[in-house]
């Protein structure tokens, strides 16, 4: 399979995740439960990550596990900014650029100090409404950050 075909399959798979992982409602209690689930999963794996959940401009959940630093918080902010701007996961946005043989950093025309299309931030999408926030993890390689968030969303939504 060619690199272009692989990139196309990756994008299609990421789009399918986003179509499947949709909430009917999302409030403060949901943020607490989802964030706590992510922290529990990370601790169970010995993963040093920071977790953030945002709804609009409001941070509803944040936890920095041992082994993380303020750099992880900066990554969370940059990944969440991509979700807010594109209404797609940070990993999907990066994959779309890679599928075109480009990099987000060189081709998006956005400030790399404010935006990072690296895996780990996923949109909180409400059925019939659209994207209202983001859930994000930072501390692992980008594909693993993304996979951890997706696994937690799958468990939380039981899909």
């Amino acid at each position: 399979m060619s690199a272009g075909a692989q990139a196309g399959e990756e994008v299609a798979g990421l789009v399918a995740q986003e179509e499947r992982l949709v909430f009917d409602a999302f409030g403060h209690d949901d943020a607490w439960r989802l964030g706590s689930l992510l922290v529990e999963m990370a601790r169970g794996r010995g993963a040093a990550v920071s977790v953030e959940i945002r709804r609009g401009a409001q941070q509803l959940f944040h936890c920095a596990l041992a082994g993380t630093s303020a750099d992880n918080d900066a990554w969370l902010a940059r990944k969440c900014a991509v979700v807010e701007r594109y209404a797609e996961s940070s990993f999907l946005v990066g994959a779309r650029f890679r599928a075109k043989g480009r990099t987000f950093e060189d081709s998006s025309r956005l400030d790399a100090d404010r935006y990072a299309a690296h895996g780990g931030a996923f949109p909180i999408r409400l059925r019939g409404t659209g994207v209202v926030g983001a859930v994000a993890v930072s501390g692992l390689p980008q594909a693993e950050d993304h996979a951890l968030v997706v696994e937690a969303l799958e468990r939380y939504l039981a899909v």
Side-chain angles (χ1 to χ4, degrees):
M1 179 180 300
S2 72
Q6 286 177 333
E9 280 188 18
E10 179 185 33
V11 167
L14 294 170
V15 168
Q17 286 175 344
E18 293 195 20
E19 290 172 350
R20 187 170 44 87
L21 299 172
V22 178
F23 290 82
D24 290 319
F26 192 86
H28 291 78
D29 290 339
D30 295 294
W32 176 259
R33 287 190 297 271
L34 177 58
S36 297
L37 174 61
L38 270 162
V39 169
E40 178 185 317
M41 290 170 62
R43 282 186 172 144
R45 297 167 190 195
V49 299
S50 291
V51 178
E52 180 170 353
I53 299 178
R54 303 189 67 77
R55 189 178 61 194
Q58 185 179 21
Q59 182 184 66
L60 299 181
F61 184 94
H62 182 271
C63 181
L65 295 177
T68 62
S69 71
D71 288 345
N72 296 103
D73 293 338
W75 276 100
L76 289 169
R78 293 168 56 220
K79 293 178 192 185
C80 286
V82 167
V83 172
E84 183 178 309
R85 184 172 186 103
Y86 288 88
E88 295 180 327
S89 75
S90 54
F91 201 46
L92 173 56
V93 172
R96 288 188 190 281
F97 278 88
R98 288 189 299 277
K100 295 175 185 174
R102 301 179 182 152
T103 67
F104 177 81
E105 295 78 10
D106 291 336
S107 300
S108 70
R109 300 180 148 208
L110 296 173
D111 183 351
D113 289 336
R114 293 190 57 215
Y115 298 90
H118 292 263
F122 200 93
I124 295 170
R125 188 180 314 274
L126 295 184
R127 199 172 321 283
T129 300
V131 175
V132 298
V135 52
V137 168
S138 174
L140 303 169
Q142 67 170 329
E144 292 175 36
D145 277 348
H146 178 83
L148 183 61
V149 171
V150 168
E151 183 181 344
L153 286 168
E154 288 171 341
R155 286 188 192 183
Y156 189 81
L157 295 168
V159 293

